[in-house]
Amino acid sequence: MSNNFVRGLCLAAALCMQSLIQPPAHAALQLDAPIPVGPQVKVGKLPNGLTYYIQRNARPERKLELRLVVKAGSILEDEDQRGLAHFVEHMAFNGSTHFRKHELVSYLQSIGVGFGADLNAYTSFDETVYILPIPTDKPQNVTKAFQVLEDWAHGVSFDTQAIDKERGIVLEELRLGKGASDRMGKQIYPKIFNGSRYAERLPIGQEDVLRNFKPETLRRFYRDWYRPDLMAVVVVGDVDPARAEQLVKKHFSRLKNPANPRPREYAAIPARTNTEALVVTDPEASGNAVLIRYPVQPVREAGTVRAYRDDLVQGLFGAMLSQRLAELAQLPDAPYLGASSSLGKLTPRYHSYNASAALGPRGAAPAIAALVQENERARQHGFGAQELERAKKNLMRSYEQAWNERAKSDSGTYAAEYIRNFLQDEAIPGIDTEYKYVQELVPGITLEEMNAYARRTIPADSGKLVLYTGVSRPDAPSGEQLLAAVAEAARTPVAPRDEKALAAGLMERPPQAGTIVAESHDKALGLTNLTLSNGVKVILKPTDFRNDQVVLSAARFGGQSLFGDRDILNARYSNAIVASMGTKDFSPLDLNKVLAGKAAGVTVGLGAYTDVIAGASGASDVETMLQLLWLKFAGVRRDEDLFRTYVDKQAEIARNQSTLPGRRFGDAVLTALYNGHPRAPRTLQPEEFGKIDLDRSIDIFRQRFSSAKDLTFILAGSFDEKAIRPLLATYLGSLPTPDIPVAYRDVGLRPVTGVVKREVRSGTEPKSTISLNFTGPAQFSEAEQLRLAALVEVTNLRIIETLREKMAMIYGGGASGSLSKIPYGNYVIGINLPTGPENVDKVIAATFAEIARLQEHGPDAAELEKVKSNWIQNHRRSLRENGYWVANLQSALTEGTDPASILKVEQQVQALTAQDVQAAAKRYFDTGNYVQVVLNPESQAAAASVAKAPAATPAAAPGS
């Protein structure tokens, strides 16, 4: 149910939680009472059957999130329409009653709505969803946005020429899905979906249909299924609800249902009664895995408080079992790389109990034994009181955080919840009601109840599918071996699980505190600058952006650059190795247990030229975050078993991925760009992980993180400045600060000069990728950063307009770029373009033609205005984000720029001219100095072939 809503908020708010005030008390809950629709949202239905949801929400300011949701996806396609539900979605952006082809996207870009990043859509089995975020600073934007939604609902043009042009784009999207997962999926999906229609209606469709369908066939799907009784309009954001309701009624009341509507039926998935095994391998698979899927069962949302409580029980069960499986992955000779076991949804209307594992070097048999036996251990012997208490603490904290942030939650999060209500009947009582439910229900969930749930839920003996997927190699198991491993594991007796006692907290006592010795203020930026008695500095920015979030950052020069080439592996992996062994006296899993109910985390490590620290916490957990930070400087927990487990896992991952075309391509690009320099970033070969030295890695880490010399800690978020000062003095003021080097070393890493061209042949599918990298020295400044960024964005507009929309030779791809001053002033612009082998030369020529146009004429006024509008919209939103402030303050320190420039971004953006971008094109697109690498398929036959098989992706990527 609405657990998904909480999870979304947890991700958006990144580790934040504190109860600022307590919600009011409520009467005892009646378990069989229906869950009401919360007062935060107006839910209505028009006479034609269209449902609408309207909620006023202030975050982000001056922004409105609109959605058109259609209960129609690929499952409804006729045999001659396979792939056309998704194709309809594409056509919605290609002309309608009120917008000519390309006019819609161009208009939305002109008001700051980014194509792909903001404006988007997706098609799945049972639904199609259109996503339209709109700035509300001008009333006409909102009015026009509702016209867009209406046009999508019943006014798409389906011009024949536009359809034929779009075929190429959709076929390029299909091409992107080709590869190992596609080939393996053709064998897997019929078994996963038990021979149901879902296996035959993958949203991307069939290539022969996409190439050859008649336009009328596409229009027929639209007429049949785009109708008001299958639609919902979602309106959430900075808008007057009464006005929004008027606009919904004005634009959607006129929609009519067909006189004889086709019945909207949902495909049934038959239950499995027999046990069978399936082994599917491919030379280009990215890894090995096993899945045990137990019988599929229908599920319906009951919509009662009792059903809500059942979901809480299911969540607690999943958390406890996941913790157990994670512990096994930390053992020497671990049975797998990672594993999960839970009751999960296959589709919104069906679920099944599944156990799965990503396989390590020991293969399938140990993983199957561990999965089956841990399930049996939980089923037969249940869980322990400590396990349940920790799971309850974490669950309660997540809801507490969501409740604390109820006035600061993003509109998109609410919109997603209402989409689920329409499509899946998920309850929408609102976070006030949900928090009340959790406070009353969770304490009453007993250990006996949880153990009864485990006995009831974990299948003891039933038909099952045992699936092995992986890289083609001689030691892959047979189906008979998989079934034998499951049977053997089921016969093995399991004992109850013992749990060791853990410390009650991270530290027995606080360290001897330092003092604050100096203080200054920057009123314009709202900053307080502190100097502590050990020389450590702190910048504080208390904000009201979130109610329950504190973000921390620190950096200084040094990093991997201070260690020689022979030490580069030890230096580069020191962060991950130290983290894999835990913190001070706690293993990683023990640390998670001690932190149950807390929201705090800290990462520490060596960058290429800097030592970096990052952290986040809830407002009540700042002390925990600072304790974690202090312990990072107090020593390293040496655990040879965990080190070996980490190295073995990384070697296995590298071994599995060594044959991937994308991996070979990425390595070739870096090798060509840096001419094999030993300090260049690269992926390791499996055997190279054995060269990492544990003690040397620890020594390198300790050299950099036994001293806090020259560190300035930046904290932004929901803290009280007076209350946080003693914590800063205690934990940051007591950090050791012995003398260490605090300057980076220029290691001489430079990209090649001149024009370098390489070809990589890898993969069996007719797929190519073009990589172009322009590099060189540059004078660093904030103004020049802006010019380079504008050039990249205009280039992306040209790539979409020319390579995708006009030539229909790509689906995705684009440019990125950066300007840096460390270790020397330099720039890089990278362009990545997936396409077909037959189109490589045309795509490269068209890209350079657009570069030449930019150099000769610069961008036109409309293009530059689109870039500016989007930047300003994003900047206004980001100014209300703690992470944005911390990142800007951090870059000001490391790059020596003015931190106050964050307040001048709009003026700087508005001052950009077409001449600035044209000059940047001439400066940075040096056609006498670039690296071009092209990935082509291994054989010429593949390059020349036209694949006839459908791409096996479970849901099409956003297509428009």
Side-chain angles (χ1 to χ4, degrees):
M1 288 173 61
S2 294
N3 293 347
N4 292 329
F5 168 69
V6 172
R7 292 190 197 103
L9 285 177
C10 291
L11 291 172
L15 300 174
C16 318
M17 42 193 74
Q18 177 203 23
S19 182
L20 305 180
I21 59 174
Q22 290 299 313
H26 296 269
L29 293 175
Q30 301 298 314
L31 291 181
D32 291 320
I35 297 176
V37 173
Q40 80 284 355
V41 59
K42 169 70 179 288
V43 182
K45 183 169 283 193
L46 300 179
N48 58 16
L50 182 139
T51 304
Y52 61 89
Y53 303 79
I54 300 172
Q55 179 182 345
R56 168 173 261 163
N57 189 59
R59 183 182 175 89
E61 297 175 349
R62 295 181 289 185
K63 191 77 172 286
L64 180 62
E65 293 288 346
L66 295 173
R67 305 288 186 268
L68 175 68
V69 189
V70 189
K71 285 183 180 178
S74 59
I75 206 71
L76 298 176
E77 294 166 346
D78 296 329
E79 191 63 30
D80 61 347
Q81 293 175 324
R82 293 172 68 171
L84 299 196
H86 173 230
F87 208 108
V88 166
E89 172 218 313
H90 273 247
M91 293 308 299
F93 297 83
N94 275 280
S96 62
T97 303
H98 296 91
F99 299 92
R100 295 190 301 274
K101 180 175 170 62
H102 304 314
E103 185 178 277
L104 172 60
V105 172
S106 182
Y107 160 70
L108 292 170
Q109 288 173 331
S110 73
I111 63 172
V113 180
F115 182 60
D118 301 317
L119 173 69
N120 219 320
Y122 73 86
T123 302
S124 190
F125 288 114
D126 284 306
E127 77 271 2
T128 305
V129 178
Y130 296 88
I131 301 166
L132 181 59
I134 290 290
T136 60
D137 46 357
K138 296 178 181 178
Q140 61 267 32
N141 291 348
V142 176
T143 303
K144 205 162 187 177
F146 275 88
Q147 185 64 71
V148 172
L149 288 190
E150 183 192 343
D151 275 17
W152 285 340
H154 72 153
V156 176
S157 300
F158 295 108
D159 174 75
T160 300
Q161 288 186 338
I163 290 172
D164 288 337
K165 179 61 70 69
E166 198 66 22
R167 289 182 202 266
I169 296 172
V170 175
L171 287 166
E172 285 302 319
E173 184 177 356
L174 181 145
R175 190 198 300 270
L176 282 179
K178 290 182 179 294
S181 61
D182 170 21
R183 295 187 293 267
M184 296 166 73
K186 293 171 186 173
Q187 303 175 62
I188 293 169
Y189 289 131
K191 299 295 185 181
I192 290 289
F193 291 112
N194 292 350
S196 76
R197 188 177 175 89
Y198 283 100
E200 302 171 355
R201 289 297 185 271
L202 300 174
I204 195 63
Q206 286 193 321
E207 186 167 339
D208 58 345
V209 172
L210 295 174
R211 288 188 183 278
N212 301 309
F213 71 86
K214 304 298 184 184
E216 179 54 30
T217 309
L218 184 68
R219 298 175 188 127
R220 186 178 79 236
F221 185 91
Y222 188 70
R223 284 196 307 269
D224 285 344
W225 303 115
Y226 275 60
R227 60 194 205 217
D229 64 321
L230 298 180
M231 288 181 178
V233 172
V234 180
V235 185
V236 184
D238 200 354
V239 67
D240 173 43
R243 172 64 175 151
E245 189 170 25
Q246 289 176 352
L247 288 167
V248 169
K249 292 178 177 178
K250 173 185 176 182
H251 286 279
F252 294 95
S253 294
R254 69 187 75 175
L255 273 67
K256 297 184 185 302
N257 291 299
N260 297 297
R262 293 180 65 175
R264 175 36 169 124
E265 297 174 345
Y266 290 85
I269 301 179
R272 173 179 293 279
T273 56
N274 65 316
T275 293
E276 66 175 312
L278 178 66
V279 175
V280 182
T281 63
D282 192 279
E284 296 173 15
S286 59
N288 306 314
V290 292
L291 167 71
I292 305 173
R293 165 157 284 162
Y294 295 89
V296 172
Q297 301 172 354
V299 60
R300 284 284 183 177
E301 299 285 2
T304 63
V305 176
R306 188 184 302 279
Y308 193 96
R309 188 181 188 277
D310 290 344
D311 279 353
L312 295 175
V313 169
Q314 181 180 329
L316 292 169
F317 166 80
M320 290 188 288
L321 190 52
S322 294
Q323 180 76 13
R324 289 187 174 189
L325 293 172
E327 290 185 20
L328 293 181
Q330 298 290 337
L331 295 175
D333 294 324
Y336 44 64
L337 301 180
S340 67
S341 188
S342 64
L343 186 67
K345 286 188 175 181
L346 178 59
T347 73
R349 287 167 171 77
Y350 289 90
H351 67 186
S352 66
Y353 194 86
N354 306 300
S356 62
L359 301 184
R362 297 176 61 197
I368 289 173
L371 289 172
V372 172
Q373 289 167 20
E374 283 309 307
N375 276 317
E376 275 300 295
R377 197 183 321 278
R379 192 181 68 82
Q380 294 179 26
H381 303 292
F383 298 98
Q386 292 181 66
E387 290 179 285
L388 179 58
E389 186 61 26
R390 287 193 300 269
K392 283 184 175 182
K393 285 181 179 180
N394 287 329
L395 181 66
M396 292 288 288
R397 265 308 200 184
S398 66
Y399 278 86
E400 182 185 26
Q401 174 204 342
W403 187 79
N404 285 339
E405 298 289 8
R406 64 197 181 282
K408 305 291 176 69
S409 300
D410 285 348
S411 297
T413 302
Y414 289 114
E417 189 182 16
Y418 303 144
I419 291 171
R420 294 194 299 273
N421 173 264
F422 180 65
L423 295 173
Q424 304 173 25
D425 298 322
E426 178 182 302
I428 49 173
I431 190 57
D432 279 335
T433 300
E434 290 199 56
Y435 192 31
K436 178 197 76 169
Y437 289 171
V438 170
Q439 286 184 308
E440 185 165 337
L441 295 173
V442 170
I445 297 173
T446 66
L447 184 61
E448 291 74 19
E449 181 182 359
M450 291 303 313
N451 292 339
Y453 177 87
R455 289 191 298 271
R456 185 171 69 249
T457 304
I458 300 173
D461 185 21
S462 67
K464 62 186 73 73
L465 171 67
V466 184
L467 173 65
Y468 175 94
T469 59
V471 182
S472 300
R473 55 193 200 194
D475 60 351
S478 66
E480 291 77 10
Q481 289 172 321
L482 293 177
L483 294 178
V486 172
E488 175 65 24
R491 289 192 295 267
T492 303
V494 291
R497 186 175 181 276
D498 293 326
E499 175 134 0
K500 67 179 180 180
L502 291 172
L506 290 173
M507 303 173 69
E508 291 184 6
R509 65 186 65 86
Q512 183 65 42
T515 59
I516 298 171
V517 298
E519 178 177 341
S520 64
H521 300 270
D522 185 330
K523 293 184 179 180
L525 296 178
L527 307 178
T528 296
N529 303 289
L530 305 176
T531 302
L532 307 181
S533 51
N534 59 353
V536 167
K537 296 179 180 179
V538 182
I539 299 174
L540 296 176
K541 182 172 177 59
T543 72
D544 63 356
F545 306 155
R546 298 277 184 182
N547 290 335
D548 212 358
Q549 181 183 51
V550 179
V551 179
L552 174 147
S553 176
R556 68 182 171 205
F557 291 124
Q560 300 167 21
S561 72
L562 299 183
F563 302 93
D565 291 352
R566 289 189 297 177
D567 255 334
I568 189 59
L569 287 185
N570 296 318
R572 190 165 287 167
Y573 283 88
S574 62
N575 309 345
I577 287 167
V578 169
S580 74
M581 297 185 295
T583 299
K584 200 64 168 65
D585 299 324
F586 301 102
S587 72
L589 290 167
D590 287 344
L591 185 63
N592 286 340
K593 294 176 182 179
V594 172
L595 293 176
K598 300 288 186 182
V602 173
T603 58
V604 174
L606 282 71
Y609 298 98
T610 53
D611 307 322
V612 293
I613 300 170
S617 78
S620 65
D621 296 313
V622 172
E623 183 169 12
T624 301
M625 177 177 66
L626 294 175
Q627 287 178 342
L628 287 168
L629 175 58
W630 193 91
L631 290 173
K632 298 286 187 182
F633 283 82
V636 172
R637 182 180 187 274
R638 189 184 188 281
D639 189 319
E640 195 152 352
D641 286 340
L642 286 176
F643 164 71
R644 183 53 49 199
T645 298
Y646 171 80
V647 168
D648 288 347
K649 286 182 178 180
Q650 299 307 308
E652 180 68 9
I653 292 170
R655 186 176 300 109
N656 291 335
Q657 295 183 350
S658 61
T659 61
L660 297 182
R663 164 77 178 268
R664 292 179 175 177
F665 180 57
D667 288 346
V669 171
L670 291 170
T671 299
L673 190 57
Y674 294 105
N675 201 25
H677 194 286
R679 308 297 290 235
R682 64 182 182 88
T683 53
L684 296 191
Q685 296 302 314
E687 62 275 8
E688 290 184 282
F689 285 96
K691 299 177 182 179
I692 298 174
D693 183 272
L694 171 58
D695 290 315
R696 181 55 180 156
S697 294
I698 291 174
D699 178 54
I700 288 171
F701 185 92
R702 294 299 298 139
Q703 284 187 45
R704 300 312 300 164
F705 291 105
S706 59
S707 173
K709 179 185 176 183
D710 206 41
L711 282 173
T712 297
F713 291 90
I714 306 166
L715 290 96
S718 50
F719 57 81
D720 177 83
E721 203 173 314
K722 182 178 180 181
I724 204 174
R725 286 169 179 253
L727 299 178
L728 299 173
T730 299
Y731 296 105
L732 300 185
S734 63
L735 290 174
T737 54
D739 188 39
I740 61 170
V742 288
Y744 63 83
R745 181 173 67 91
D746 187 343
V747 298
L749 179 63
R750 300 289 188 274
V752 296
T753 57
V755 176
V756 176
K757 296 184 179 182
R758 298 281 188 271
E759 182 191 33
V760 179
R761 287 200 170 270
S762 183
T764 58
E765 298 289 352
K767 297 169 63 173
S768 295
T769 305
I770 301 159
S771 171
L772 300 170
N773 279 279
F774 298 83
T775 61
Q779 189 68 37
F780 178 87
S781 71
E782 287 184 280
E784 199 59 22
Q785 270 188 317
L786 198 63
R787 296 182 193 112
L788 175 61
L791 172 63
V792 168
E793 293 305 317
V794 170
T795 300
N796 279 323
L797 291 176
R798 295 284 179 92
I799 287 172
I800 292 170
E801 178 187 2
T802 301
L803 299 179
R804 174 176 161 137
E805 298 302 328
K806 290 183 179 178
M807 299 175 66
M809 289 186 177
I810 67 168
Y811 168 70
S816 61
S818 63
L819 185 67
S820 306
K821 66 181 299 184
I822 301 167
Y824 69 104
N826 70 95
Y827 77 94
V828 59
I829 298 177
I831 302 176
N832 192 269
L833 301 168
T835 190
E838 71 280 10
N839 293 328
V840 165
D841 292 341
K842 297 174 187 176
V843 169
I844 291 174
T847 302
F848 277 94
E850 290 304 318
I851 288 173
R853 268 213 309 144
L854 280 172
Q855 290 174 329
E856 185 174 352
H857 304 292
D860 61 44
E863 286 177 314
L864 188 54
E865 189 56 38
K866 291 174 183 177
V867 172
K868 290 182 178 182
S869 296
N870 183 250
W871 278 359
I872 289 172
Q873 292 290 336
N874 290 338
H875 172 68
R876 288 175 179 173
R877 177 174 181 170
S878 297
L879 279 176
R880 300 288 297 173
E881 297 287 352
N882 293 313
Y884 185 67
W885 276 90
V886 167
N888 276 273
L889 293 170
Q890 187 67 75
S891 64
L893 287 175
T894 55
E895 295 173 355
T897 55
D898 180 8
S901 63
I902 194 174
L903 302 178
K904 306 170 186 175
V905 168
E906 286 200 34
Q907 299 94 300
Q908 294 168 342
V909 169
Q910 293 292 13
L912 269 176
T913 66
Q915 290 72 29
D916 290 331
V917 178
Q918 181 181 7
K922 293 178 178 178
R923 186 177 306 118
Y924 299 120
F925 279 134
D926 183 354
T927 54
N929 188 59
Y930 67 92
V931 172
Q932 173 185 302
V933 182
V934 177
L935 171 66
N936 278 320
E938 289 176 4
S939 68
Q940 292 289 345
S945 70
V946 177
K948 297 297 182 184
T953 49
S960 302

